[in-house]
PDB file of all heavy atoms in Angstrom:
ATOM      1  N   ARG A  23      20.996   6.805 -10.700  1.00 95.00           N
ATOM      2  CA  ARG A  23      20.338   6.973 -12.012  1.00 95.00           C
ATOM      3  C   ARG A  23      19.265   5.963 -12.177  1.00 95.00           C
ATOM      4  O   ARG A  23      19.538   4.748 -12.011  1.00 95.00           O
ATOM      5  CB  ARG A  23      21.325   6.902 -13.153  1.00 95.00           C
ATOM      6  CG  ARG A  23      22.371   8.085 -13.164  1.00 95.00           C
ATOM      7  CD  ARG A  23      23.455   7.854 -14.148  1.00 95.00           C
ATOM      8  NE  ARG A  23      24.286   6.636 -13.783  1.00 95.00           N
ATOM      9  CZ  ARG A  23      25.229   6.682 -12.975  1.00 95.00           C
ATOM     10  NH1 ARG A  23      25.608   7.794 -12.399  1.00 95.00           N
ATOM     11  NH2 ARG A  23      25.934   5.602 -12.702  1.00 95.00           N
ATOM     12  N   ALA A  45      -1.760   0.436  -2.308  1.00 98.00           N
ATOM     13  CA  ALA A  45      -0.857  -0.501  -1.520  1.00 98.00           C
ATOM     14  C   ALA A  45      -0.097  -1.324  -2.523  1.00 98.00           C
ATOM     15  O   ALA A  45      -0.495  -1.760  -3.472  1.00 98.00           O
ATOM     16  CB  ALA A  45      -1.691  -1.419  -0.652  1.00 98.00           C
ATOM     17  N   ASP A 343      22.570   4.939   2.672  1.00 89.00           N
ATOM     18  CA  ASP A 343      23.293   5.265   3.916  1.00 89.00           C
ATOM     19  C   ASP A 343      24.720   5.817   3.534  1.00 89.00           C
ATOM     20  O   ASP A 343      25.288   6.645   4.306  1.00 89.00           O
ATOM     21  CB  ASP A 343      23.476   4.015   4.775  1.00 89.00           C
ATOM     22  CG  ASP A 343      22.616   4.218   6.073  1.00 89.00           C
ATOM     23  OD1 ASP A 343      21.923   5.182   6.192  1.00 89.00           O
ATOM     24  OD2 ASP A 343      22.805   3.368   6.941  1.00 89.00           O
TER      25      ASP A 343
END
Side-chain angles (χ1 to χ4, degrees):
Chain A
R23 291 173 296 278
D343 247 11

